[in-house]
Amino acid sequence: MKRQLCLLALGLLAAAPVGASTRGGADAPVGASTRGGADATQAPPTLRRFVLVAGANRGVEDRPTLRYAESDAERFVAVMRALGGVNAEDVTELRQPRVGELDRALEALKGRVLAARQAAGGARVRTEVFFYYSGHADERGLLLANDRWSYVTLRQHLENVAADVRIGILDACASGAITRPKGGKLRGPFVVDPSSDMRGSAFLASSSADEAAQESERLGASFFTHYLLSGLRGAADLSGDGRVTLNEAYQFAFNETLSRTVGTRGGPQHPVYDITMSGTGEVFLTDLRQLAAGFTVP
């Protein structure tokens, strides 16, 4: 039996907002990307990734308690540490945070990113930030302990982080509302690897602005987060190169979430995205080639 519950899971990839804004669903045409850097003779920069996750099964008094928000956040961290090149010391995890706690955690994250860049001295270093929130939300923002943290505030916080890339993944009721700033054209998402000079923002949301996000008792997780993480573990590697891009992960999560929710009580759930990026290269979220063991299912 499946229950319809409001849920938000957010993990953000962005940098200084430059270039054209893109948004859309799985039917959006996938944009071509160009590999390479400014100078092929230069050594590629060192990549350092920071992850901030917050899980909240309880949100507001008039909403039911979620079952899998906190465990979804834990699973996101596990995948990024195992396959995303994230070190344990660069992960911050929060449970049932209040607005003030989330504010302070983001301010601390800004400081850690700046410290990492300064510590590198003259060496080339590329920093990427992932913010993932799993809990309640509505069309105006995150719902935390009977308080609301607006999407506008969230975007401003993340834009102020001096990282090359900031990624946001939202899995929540009406979470698609975060993808509705002015402007934008329907195009495919971009992803970047450490050797690229891509800069920009990527927001992924599990449902449109007027839909509920759903959890599945059979999966023991939200539909969107379950299939997003399945994709990052390798199911989304359609190219077969042993790496999963943001584009591949999103397309896989979109297709699976939509197909698996068509017959549920909550109805079809349509993930959306908003991406603002420019530069060259691709963004790879996970690298399956570093696995010590595994198996492949046709």
Side-chain angles (χ1 to χ4, degrees):
M1 181 179 68
K2 303 180 180 69
R3 297 191 304 163
Q4 175 183 344
L5 295 176
C6 291
L7 172 66
L8 171 69
L10 201 146
L12 231 141
L13 188 154
V18 292
S21 174
T22 69
R23 69 184 63 189
D27 292 334
V30 178
S33 61
T34 302
R35 297 180 180 273
D39 187 349
T41 64
Q42 292 184 352
T46 299
L47 173 64
R48 187 163 178 191
R49 287 176 159 176
F50 297 86
V51 173
L52 170 59
V53 301
N57 286 337
R58 301 185 307 277
V60 290
E61 294 179 354
D62 62 343
R63 300 289 181 95
T65 299
L66 300 172
R67 297 186 62 181
Y68 307 115
E70 294 176 15
S71 57
D72 278 350
E74 293 171 357
R75 292 186 187 103
F76 180 81
V77 170
V79 170
M80 292 307 295
R81 286 195 58 194
L83 300 172
V86 177
N87 297 320
E89 62 268 23
D90 293 328
V91 174
T92 301
E93 297 185 64
L94 301 176
R95 283 198 175 195
Q96 294 295 145
R98 293 181 177 274
V99 170
E101 292 177 80
L102 206 49
D103 272 327
R104 290 190 292 273
L106 278 165
E107 287 299 322
L109 180 61
K110 294 176 190 177
R112 295 178 66 191
V113 171
L114 284 174
R117 298 173 73 91
Q118 292 170 357
R124 298 177 65 204
V125 59
R126 181 178 181 83
T127 54
E128 298 181 354
V129 167
F130 294 77
F131 174 67
Y132 180 103
Y133 170 83
S134 179
H136 283 286
D138 63 13
E139 68 281 358
R140 289 188 288 168
L142 315 185
L143 300 177
L144 300 166
N146 293 318
D147 201 354
R148 178 181 287 105
W149 206 51
S150 74
Y151 293 131
V152 173
T153 300
L154 171 59
R155 293 183 72 120
Q156 289 174 343
H157 266 289
L158 288 165
E159 288 168 1
N160 289 334
V161 178
D164 295 291
V165 173
R166 304 181 292 271
I167 295 188
I169 306 166
L170 294 76
D171 181 355
C173 293
S175 57
I178 198 172
T179 68
R180 297 191 301 189
K182 294 181 179 179
K185 297 180 180 179
L186 188 64
R187 295 181 183 174
F190 289 90
V191 214
V192 285
D193 68 18
S195 64
S196 79
D197 65 355
M198 187 74 77
R199 300 291 186 273
S201 307
F203 293 82
L204 275 60
S206 68
S207 60
S208 66
D210 57 356
E211 290 179 342
Q214 303 172 57
E215 290 186 324
S216 166
E217 292 184 6
R218 182 179 65 84
L219 297 176
S222 74
F223 282 98
F224 179 76
T225 296
H226 173 80
Y227 290 112
L228 175 68
L229 297 183
S230 295
L232 293 178
R233 291 187 180 103
D237 181 23
L238 300 180
S239 66
D241 65 354
R243 297 176 292 180
V244 178
T245 67
L246 178 60
N247 184 33
E248 289 176 322
Y250 170 75
Q251 296 291 341
F252 180 83
F254 177 96
N255 292 333
E256 292 298 318
T257 300
L258 178 58
S259 65
R260 306 292 179 167
T261 55
V262 167
T264 64
R265 188 169 52 186
Q269 183 177 323
H270 302 77
V272 298
Y273 69 84
D274 176 24
I275 295 179
T276 305
M277 279 204 182
S278 68
T280 60
E282 287 187 289
V283 181
F284 292 93
L285 300 190
T286 55
D287 190 340
L288 313 177
R289 300 169 300 177
Q290 60 185 302
L291 285 172
F295 63 91
T296 302
V297 179

